[in-house]
């Protein structure tokens, strides 16, 4: 049985673009530690990245190599598109050992193949490429030249295929359904955790047509004054009258994530809150209209700034980032940002999360959208009202 989310032709195209970037940087061999990049290049999808695993790309070899724990090689056979001889595993006595390390085993494989004197690209700033990994590789491969290849594959991932966009559209439907469930559940006296449990039920179950799955990180869900901090979590406290509930969450389909953010006010929102929500929605709309091929990331931020400045409002942080494949701890692609000074040029089929939140002293407000760039402006993945919700 094979889990085939994409055909082999799409994987070959991804690999060809990656190798082109490798040649530009003078890299002979690429060691991919990021689980998101491993999934993109090989199809491997398993929660096994708590032990060392890699996808190895060599300019001398047609297919990439999956390298990981022996018991996880079974999962690799179910998910990767490559042939059996491209699945290489290390014995279980390398796991959790103070005497040996899986990267020593990998270094031995590279020596056997004559790749130990190569110019090797490694993802130096990736969450999963540790200082110890690098020390072991450099010690065991003294003839190699190591080159920082952080974000090399991430930049290749920026332009989505039609199949990827299809999965993102499905993830958007899940996100909208889950956010609606949270809004419906929120009420005075209902525990915050019960609202989030309903949200999780829908993100996991999806819709009648498409199933969901776990997202790469928990929602950000803050209440009351805690809404002035962007990345906190919920509690088991009951929601109170005249309290704000800030929710940033995401729908996920086959590891493709669509973030979506809204706020719920328990009671009648103050006029100033309503005014600010309207300004956010207006600015977001203008950004989405401007998100066309040829525009730069900084242009979208400038559109936002011009819109809110008419209302006497300033915001000094970025308003968005690219999204797509997500593994813990992030659904962000980590490449560019919708901010002043970022001259990355938008192209068709790039996908972003625009989150123009406003952080006040006593609360925060957000209305966000994830979208794909098209010739006609942004096409959003979710269909959900851009308002501050009120629950009496």
């Amino acid at each position: 049985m094979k889990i085939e989310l994409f055909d082999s032709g799409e994987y070959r195209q991804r690999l060809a673009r990656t190798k082109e970037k490798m040649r530009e940087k003078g890299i002979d061999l690429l060691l991919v530690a990021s689980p998101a990049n491993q999934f993109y290049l090989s199809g491997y999808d398993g929660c096994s990245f708590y032990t060392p695993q890699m996808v190895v790309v060599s300019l001398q070899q047609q297919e990439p190599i999956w390298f990981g724990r022996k018991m996880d090689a079974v999962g690799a056979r179910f998910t990767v598109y490559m042939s059996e001889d491209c699945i290489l595993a290390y014995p279980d006595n390398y796991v959790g050992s103070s005497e040996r390390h899986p990267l020593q085993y990998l270094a031995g494989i590279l020596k056997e193949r004559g790749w130990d004197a190569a110019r090797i690209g490694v993802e130096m700033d990736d969450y999963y490429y540790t200082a110890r990994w690098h020390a072991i590789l450099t010690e065991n491969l003294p003839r190699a030249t190591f080159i920082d290849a952080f974000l090399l594959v991430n930049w290749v991932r920026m332009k989505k295929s039609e199949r990827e966009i299809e999965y993102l559209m499905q993830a958007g439907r899940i996100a909208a359904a889950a956010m609606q469930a949270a809004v419906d559940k929120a009420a005075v006296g209902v525990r915050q955790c019960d609202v989030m449990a309903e949200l999780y039920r829908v993100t996991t179950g999806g819709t009648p047509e498409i199933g969901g799955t776990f997202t790469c990180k928990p929602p950000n869900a803050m209440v009351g004054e805690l809404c002035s901090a962007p990345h906190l979590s919920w509690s088991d406290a009951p929601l109170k009258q005249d309290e704000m509930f800030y929710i940033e969450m995401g729908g996920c389909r086959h590891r493709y994530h669509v973030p979506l953010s809204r706020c719920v006010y328990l009671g009648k929102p103050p006029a100033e809150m309503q005014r600010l929500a309207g300004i956010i929605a207006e600015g977001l709309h203008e950004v989405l209209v401007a998100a066309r091929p040829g525009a730069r990331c900084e242009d979208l931020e400038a559109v936002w700034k011009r819109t809110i400045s008419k209302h006497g409002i300033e915001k000094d942080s970025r308003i968005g980032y690219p999204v797509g494949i997500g593994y813990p701890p992030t659904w962000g692609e980590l490449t560019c940002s919708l901010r002043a000074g970022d001259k990355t040029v938008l192209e068709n089929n790039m996908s972003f999360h625009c989150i123009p939140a406003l952080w006040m002293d006593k609360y925060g407000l957000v209305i966000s959208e994830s979208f794909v760039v098209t010739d006609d402006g942004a096409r959003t993945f979710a269909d959900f009202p851009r308002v501050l919700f009120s629950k009496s």
Side-chain angles (χ1 to χ4, degrees):
M1 176 182 177
K2 274 279 190 180
I3 300 173
E4 297 179 344
L5 301 180
F6 303 93
D7 61 42
S8 58
E10 179 157 340
Y11 285 117
R12 286 194 292 270
Q13 291 173 6
R14 297 174 179 183
L15 186 63
R17 295 197 301 272
T18 300
K19 287 184 175 181
E20 181 181 346
K21 292 291 185 183
M22 290 169 60
R23 292 186 184 96
E24 290 175 5
K25 288 185 170 286
I27 294 171
D28 307 312
L29 188 74
L30 180 65
L31 302 183
V32 179
S34 159
N37 290 340
Q38 292 178 17
F39 173 77
Y40 182 76
L41 290 174
S42 73
Y44 181 74
D45 183 20
C47 289
S48 54
F49 41 84
Y50 62 92
T51 57
Q53 65 184 37
M54 288 274 198
V55 165
V56 181
V57 178
S58 170
L59 295 181
Q60 300 177 18
Q61 182 159 309
Q62 187 174 6
E63 293 182 334
I65 293 169
W66 180 90
F67 170 79
R69 189 178 182 182
K70 184 178 180 180
M71 68 168 58
D72 294 314
V74 179
R77 293 186 184 97
F78 288 139
T79 56
V80 304
Y81 80 97
M82 300 93 73
S83 54
E84 179 79 17
D85 58 358
C86 289
I87 299 172
L88 305 180
Y90 55 85
D92 210 64
N93 63 351
Y94 277 77
V95 178
S97 171
S98 59
E99 301 173 353
R100 58 188 66 85
H101 193 278
L103 271 293
Q104 295 170 331
Y105 198 93
L106 177 61
I109 291 173
L110 300 185
K111 289 177 182 177
E112 290 173 4
R113 293 178 176 238
W115 295 342
D116 55 315
R119 292 170 61 85
I120 301 176
V122 291
E123 297 173 310
M124 289 292 290
D125 204 23
D126 186 76
Y127 304 111
Y128 295 91
Y129 187 76
T130 71
R132 188 180 183 199
W133 287 23
H134 193 67
I136 291 171
L137 287 173
T138 53
E139 179 184 353
N140 285 268
L141 301 170
R143 299 200 302 151
T145 300
F146 287 88
I147 299 169
D148 185 7
F150 181 55
L151 301 183
L152 185 150
V153 180
N154 301 57
W155 280 105
V156 174
R157 284 166 45 196
M158 284 282 289
K159 289 188 66 174
K160 308 300 186 292
S161 69
E162 292 305 316
R163 178 56 65 86
E164 289 180 294
I165 292 170
E166 178 184 341
Y167 292 150
L168 286 164
M169 293 300 300
Q170 292 173 350
R173 289 163 59 188
I174 294 171
M179 185 65 80
Q180 185 64 63
V183 172
D184 292 344
K185 184 71 175 179
V188 173
V190 175
R191 296 186 304 172
Q192 300 169 30
C193 55
D194 292 332
V195 175
M196 301 314 295
E198 184 64 11
L199 186 149
Y200 266 95
R201 182 187 69 80
V202 179
T203 53
T204 304
T207 72
E209 299 78 22
I210 48 175
T213 187
F214 69 95
T215 55
C216 64
K217 69 184 190 73
N220 299 322
M222 300 81 72
V223 172
E225 192 172 354
L226 296 181
C227 294
S228 60
H231 298 123
L232 299 183
S233 189
W234 62 90
S235 73
D236 61 355
L239 294 169
K240 299 177 182 177
Q241 180 72 23
D242 299 324
E243 195 169 55
M244 177 80 81
F245 196 0
Y246 177 119
I247 302 172
E248 178 187 349
M249 50 76 67
C252 180
R253 176 71 168 165
H254 298 317
R255 306 316 316 151
Y256 284 85
H257 285 65
V258 166
L260 186 68
S261 305
R262 294 293 188 271
C263 290
V264 182
Y265 191 84
L266 284 304
K268 183 179 180 181
E272 178 63 8
M273 280 188 186
Q274 288 282 33
R275 184 182 81 91
L276 290 176
I279 294 168
I280 293 173
E282 178 188 352
L284 176 58
H285 171 76
E286 295 301 323
V287 169
L288 295 174
V289 171
R292 300 171 185 268
R296 296 170 297 186
C297 285
E298 66 177 2
D299 296 336
L300 271 59
E301 193 271 347
V303 167
W304 159 258
K305 185 168 289 185
R306 283 197 302 270
T307 303
I308 65 171
S309 65
K310 293 186 301 184
H311 302 277
I313 297 174
E314 295 182 359
K315 175 182 168 70
D316 59 2
S317 58
R318 70 178 183 172
I319 63 165
Y321 50 84
V323 292
I325 300 168
Y327 279 81
T330 184
W331 52 48
E333 290 185 334
L334 309 177
T335 47
C336 54
S337 294
L338 304 182
R339 64 155 55 106
D342 193 317
K343 301 187 183 302
T344 303
V345 177
L346 271 58
E347 300 180 47
N348 270 321
N349 290 9
M350 287 184 173
S351 53
F352 293 85
H353 179 210
C354 183
I355 179 167
L358 293 177
W359 308 107
M360 319 307 287
D361 290 338
K362 297 295 184 180
Y363 61 89
L365 266 173
V366 63
I367 300 172
S368 82
E369 293 285 1
S370 295
F371 65 88
V372 61
V373 177
T374 79
D375 288 329
D376 299 320
R379 179 188 179 195
T380 55
F381 297 124
D383 182 8
F384 203 70
R386 297 175 195 159
V387 298
L388 168 60
F389 288 88
S390 173
K391 297 293 295 289
S392 60

